[in-house]
Amino acid sequence: MGKPTRATALSDRIPGGRDGRHMLIVTFVDRIGSGLWGATATLYFTYAAGLSTAAIGVLLAVSGAIGIAGPPVGGLLADRLPLRPLLITLQVVRAAASLALLTTTDLRLLFAITSVGSLGDRAVSVLTKLYATRVAGPDRARYQAINRTAMNVGWAVGGLAAAAALTDGTVTVYRWLLIGDALSFLASALFTLGCAEPPSASRIAAKSTPAPGESVQPRKSTPGESTSEECMPEESAPGNSAALANSTPAESTPAESAPAESSPAPHKTKTPALNPWRDRRYLAYTASEAALFLDDSVFKVGLPLWAVTATSAPHQLVPLLLVLNNVLVVLFQVPFARFGATPHTARTSLWPLACAFLLGGATLAASTVVDAPWLAAVTLVLAATAFTVAEMLHATISWELSVVLAPPTAQGAYLGVHGLAQAVQRSAGPLAVTAAIAAGPLGWLGLGAGLAAMCGAQRHLVRDRGDGALSVAPVTVSEH
């Protein structure tokens, strides 16, 4: 065998094999388009569509609220339909919505178009996570870190391209940037065509459930086809332990299982339909996640407003803080994957996450204590660094716990519900952050302390129950 090349070694370090690498390209291209549109959406609606500031605010708020339904609907469909065609369809829908914006300036039509686009955006986000979870298996924490790095690089490339294009300042440029956004979605759909359909525990379970009076015959797997055991990570799901518990020695002994007609299969071997909306523990976990995602609103709303209205730091520092956040995520998100390598590690990492939130709130509060601009700038940089560390830690912890608490046979539905946390944060987060700003330094101290307390509450919520394992009641999952 020849010596592996650098490219081969790099490929081997990316979980999920060929499909995992293709999905990283999809993420990168998708985020380039998002960067193009995110940097120009308000300008397009102002100058190209001719909307007032109030109309733009209502348009974005309503479409964002409707988009909240995207994650649960997308996750539910993913448990019933093949994932790859579903992803491709939604990418095409997003592209069509972007191009449709070019055809009208009527506010009612813009409401409908942006709502469809918002639904597609939120659904694709959850389905991409689900695809990565299925192809990466036990290495999903590392894949998540690499995926977030690709997302941030894509956003940066799209934002820089938009900034360069906007130097022209004409309406035509806004339209071309919107076309670029649509083309990125079509390119993502084409790249997704090159990916294989990942194994799905829910669809395998549905196909393998025997009819009454029908015996179960072992099925030979074809080359390249994954079995249901291969598609389930060792520590990932409550259903794994349930399946192991039901596979008693009596059922696996050939001599005793042969007379199927004299010993009909017990009714309990049927896989029940699992509904995340009836899982109070998962719903409580999702609610706590909505609070812990507040670092997003801190960077988009809190830091810029606080820096220019309450501190003596130079205003030119604000965009540099956002650049610092992006650079730190690109450099350190992959090393931070170790904090979510296992369910136990993810749960333990909630303590350093709490410390990062406390430090971020305290440094923002301290930024107004002195009048020296350089000292205010230093404290703002420390605050941005602390909240970036919190962002990277929480991204790793959240990915692992949201998957490990979801039964494999209903993973899509559960992750769809978990996707509501980010959607709700995008709507309510700016209100919480502006409330902290209005309260002054004590507001930031309170926000940091509240987020730290939420970390403690979440750690208690996902605590081991009975045998040192993370679980979804009433089933226990081994973490080994």
Side-chain angles (χ1 to χ4, degrees):
M1 294 179 64
K3 186 177 180 180
T5 64
R6 179 177 298 182
T8 303
L10 181 61
S11 297
D12 291 341
R13 295 179 63 187
I14 299 176
R18 174 180 172 274
D19 293 330
R21 295 192 295 273
H22 275 207
M23 194 51 63
L24 287 178
I25 297 174
V26 170
T27 297
F28 174 72
V29 173
D30 185 305
R31 294 304 171 178
I32 289 177
S34 298
L36 291 173
W37 177 241
T40 57
T42 303
L43 296 175
Y44 176 85
F45 288 128
T46 301
Y47 297 108
L51 301 182
S52 65
T53 301
I56 294 173
V58 174
L59 176 66
L60 296 179
V62 171
S63 62
I66 293 176
I68 290 176
V73 172
L76 195 64
L77 290 174
D79 282 336
R80 290 159 171 76
L81 300 172
L83 185 53
R84 187 179 70 112
L86 189 58
L87 267 171
I88 294 171
T89 301
L90 287 173
Q91 293 286 18
V92 172
V93 169
R94 295 170 77 196
S98 295
L99 292 175
L101 290 174
L102 296 168
T103 65
T104 183
T105 58
D106 182 81
L107 186 57
R108 290 169 296 181
L109 291 177
L110 290 175
F111 271 121
I113 295 168
T114 55
S115 296
V116 170
S118 181
L119 279 168
D121 289 344
R122 305 286 175 84
V124 164
S125 178
V126 168
L127 296 182
T128 303
K129 175 180 178 179
L130 182 59
Y131 189 98
T133 298
R134 290 177 178 175
V135 299
D139 293 326
R140 58 183 173 269
R142 178 174 178 80
Y143 188 91
Q144 177 269 346
I146 300 173
N147 186 67
R148 288 201 79 236
T149 302
M151 287 173 57
N152 277 269
V153 174
W155 265 103
V157 171
L160 289 173
L166 288 175
T167 56
D168 189 14
T170 64
V171 173
T172 302
V173 170
Y174 302 139
R175 294 194 175 100
W176 276 111
L177 288 174
L178 184 54
I179 292 173
D181 182 41
L183 291 177
S184 74
F185 299 145
L186 291 176
S188 296
L190 289 176
F191 279 118
T192 306
L193 279 172
C195 298
E197 177 66 25
S200 168
S202 58
R203 298 179 66 230
I204 289 173
K207 291 179 180 179
S208 62
T209 302
E214 181 183 359
S215 61
V216 180
Q217 299 294 331
R219 185 176 63 90
K220 295 182 180 180
S221 60
T222 58
E225 182 182 7
S226 299
T227 63
S228 60
E229 289 82 1
E230 293 171 338
C231 78
M232 300 179 191
E234 289 180 346
E235 74 278 11
S236 69
N240 293 350
S241 294
L244 292 174
N246 288 336
S247 298
T248 60
E251 293 172 351
S252 59
T253 305
E256 294 181 18
S257 59
E261 62 278 357
S262 60
S263 304
H267 180 71
K268 65 178 182 180
T269 58
K270 276 192 173 183
T271 303
L274 298 168
N275 186 348
W277 297 104
R278 296 181 180 178
D279 190 333
R280 290 178 294 177
R281 189 185 187 197
Y282 201 86
L283 291 177
Y285 166 72
T286 300
S288 69
E289 285 285 270
L292 298 185
F293 275 118
L294 271 176
D295 60 85
D296 179 67
S297 290
V298 168
F299 272 104
K300 290 181 178 178
V301 180
L303 265 174
L305 281 179
W306 183 255
V308 300
T309 61
T311 75
S312 57
H315 292 184
Q316 295 89 335
L317 180 66
V318 172
L320 296 180
L321 295 177
L322 300 179
V323 172
L324 174 65
N325 167 260
N326 200 281
V327 170
L328 289 177
V329 171
V330 170
L331 291 178
F332 296 108
Q333 185 66 72
V334 173
F336 268 58
R338 70 187 66 180
F339 292 101
T342 67
H344 177 73
T345 304
R347 180 175 178 266
T348 304
S349 299
L350 284 166
W351 287 130
L353 176 60
C355 294
F357 278 130
L358 274 175
L359 180 60
T363 48
L364 279 178
S367 63
T368 60
V369 174
V370 292
D371 293 330
W374 69 270
L375 191 54
V378 168
T379 54
L380 287 175
V381 169
L382 288 175
T385 303
F387 276 110
T388 301
V389 170
E391 175 188 343
M392 292 187 291
L393 278 172
H394 180 241
T396 299
I397 296 168
S398 174
W399 183 292
E400 179 66 15
L401 292 181
S402 64
V403 172
V404 79
L405 292 171
T409 54
Q411 207 170 60
Y414 271 71
L415 293 182
V417 169
H418 180 263
L420 287 173
Q422 280 184 301
V424 170
Q425 187 280 142
R426 289 191 185 106
S427 299
L431 297 176
V433 170
T434 51
I437 293 175
L442 289 178
W444 285 116
L445 287 173
L447 182 67
L451 292 175
M454 187 61 72
C455 291
Q458 187 178 105
R459 188 176 188 276
H460 179 75
L461 184 67
V462 299
R463 71 191 184 279
D464 302 343
R465 292 188 174 182
D467 68 344
L470 286 175
S471 64
V472 175
V475 184
T476 302
V477 183
S478 173
E479 67 185 20
H480 301 294

